[in-house]
Short mmCIF file of all heavy atoms in Angstrom, two decimals:
data_model
loop_
_atom_site.label_atom_id
_atom_site.label_comp_id
_atom_site.label_asym_id
_atom_site.label_seq_id
_atom_site.Cartn_x
_atom_site.Cartn_y
_atom_site.Cartn_z
N ILE A 326 51.35 -5.54 -42.76
CA ILE A 326 52.38 -5.40 -41.66
C ILE A 326 51.93 -4.34 -40.65
O ILE A 326 52.07 -4.40 -39.47
CB ILE A 326 53.78 -5.10 -42.16
CG1 ILE A 326 54.21 -6.26 -43.07
CG2 ILE A 326 54.74 -4.86 -41.07
CD1 ILE A 326 55.52 -5.92 -43.84
N TYR A 327 51.29 -3.26 -41.18
CA TYR A 327 50.78 -2.18 -40.41
C TYR A 327 49.57 -1.61 -41.11
O TYR A 327 49.46 -1.72 -42.33
CB TYR A 327 51.84 -1.18 -40.10
CG TYR A 327 52.50 -0.53 -41.23
CD1 TYR A 327 51.95 0.56 -41.90
CD2 TYR A 327 53.70 -1.15 -41.76
CE1 TYR A 327 52.61 1.07 -43.00
CE2 TYR A 327 54.31 -0.61 -42.86
CZ TYR A 327 53.76 0.52 -43.53
OH TYR A 327 54.33 1.01 -44.64
N PRO A 328 48.73 -0.85 -40.44
CA PRO A 328 47.50 -0.26 -41.03
C PRO A 328 47.93 0.83 -41.97
O PRO A 328 48.66 1.70 -41.62
CB PRO A 328 46.71 0.26 -39.87
CG PRO A 328 47.29 -0.38 -38.67
CD PRO A 328 48.65 -0.78 -38.95
N PRO A 329 47.39 0.80 -43.22
CA PRO A 329 47.71 1.89 -44.17
C PRO A 329 46.88 3.13 -43.85
O PRO A 329 45.82 3.08 -43.22
CB PRO A 329 47.30 1.30 -45.53
CG PRO A 329 46.20 0.35 -45.19
CD PRO A 329 46.54 -0.25 -43.76
N ALA A 330 47.38 4.26 -44.29
CA ALA A 330 46.69 5.48 -44.16
C ALA A 330 47.00 6.35 -45.44
O ALA A 330 48.12 6.39 -45.88
CB ALA A 330 47.06 6.26 -42.93
N PHE A 331 46.01 6.96 -45.94
CA PHE A 331 46.23 7.85 -47.13
C PHE A 331 45.74 9.26 -46.78
O PHE A 331 44.76 9.45 -46.02
CB PHE A 331 45.33 7.34 -48.32
CG PHE A 331 45.85 6.01 -48.83
CD1 PHE A 331 45.22 4.78 -48.40
CD2 PHE A 331 46.84 5.89 -49.80
CE1 PHE A 331 45.71 3.58 -48.91
CE2 PHE A 331 47.28 4.70 -50.25
CZ PHE A 331 46.71 3.51 -49.77
N ASP A 332 46.47 10.23 -47.23
CA ASP A 332 46.09 11.57 -47.01
C ASP A 332 45.27 12.11 -48.17
O ASP A 332 45.10 11.39 -49.21
CB ASP A 332 47.28 12.50 -46.68
CG ASP A 332 48.23 12.59 -47.97
OD1 ASP A 332 48.06 11.78 -48.94
OD2 ASP A 332 49.07 13.54 -47.97
N SER A 333 44.81 13.30 -48.06
CA SER A 333 44.07 13.97 -49.15
C SER A 333 44.20 15.39 -49.08
O SER A 333 44.52 15.99 -48.00
CB SER A 333 42.64 13.51 -49.12
OG SER A 333 41.97 14.11 -48.07
N ARG A 334 43.99 16.00 -50.18
CA ARG A 334 43.86 17.42 -50.30
C ARG A 334 42.79 17.76 -51.32
O ARG A 334 42.66 17.03 -52.30
CB ARG A 334 45.18 18.11 -50.51
CG ARG A 334 45.71 17.91 -51.94
CD ARG A 334 47.01 18.64 -52.18
NE ARG A 334 47.64 18.08 -53.33
CZ ARG A 334 48.83 17.63 -53.32
NH1 ARG A 334 49.60 17.66 -52.31
NH2 ARG A 334 49.36 17.11 -54.44
N VAL A 335 42.13 18.84 -51.13
CA VAL A 335 41.06 19.27 -52.07
C VAL A 335 41.49 20.60 -52.58
O VAL A 335 41.78 21.59 -51.84
CB VAL A 335 39.69 19.37 -51.37
CG1 VAL A 335 38.64 19.85 -52.30
CG2 VAL A 335 39.35 17.97 -50.77
N VAL A 336 41.52 20.72 -53.92
CA VAL A 336 41.91 22.03 -54.56
C VAL A 336 40.79 22.39 -55.56
O VAL A 336 40.31 21.59 -56.31
CB VAL A 336 43.22 21.88 -55.33
CG1 VAL A 336 43.63 23.12 -56.08
CG2 VAL A 336 44.35 21.34 -54.41
N ALA A 337 40.39 23.65 -55.49
CA ALA A 337 39.42 24.20 -56.44
C ALA A 337 40.20 24.93 -57.46
O ALA A 337 40.82 25.96 -57.25
CB ALA A 337 38.44 25.09 -55.73
N TYR A 338 40.09 24.46 -58.73
CA TYR A 338 40.79 25.12 -59.80
C TYR A 338 39.80 26.13 -60.48
O TYR A 338 38.58 25.85 -60.64
CB TYR A 338 41.29 24.14 -60.91
CG TYR A 338 42.51 23.43 -60.33
CD1 TYR A 338 42.48 22.03 -59.96
CD2 TYR A 338 43.75 24.06 -60.25
CE1 TYR A 338 43.57 21.39 -59.49
CE2 TYR A 338 44.87 23.45 -59.74
CZ TYR A 338 44.76 22.10 -59.41
OH TYR A 338 45.88 21.46 -58.89
#
Side-chain angles (χ1 to χ4, degrees):
I326 298 171
Y327 56 88
F331 294 93
D332 66 343
S333 71
R334 68 176 164 236
V335 177
V336 179
Y338 287 106

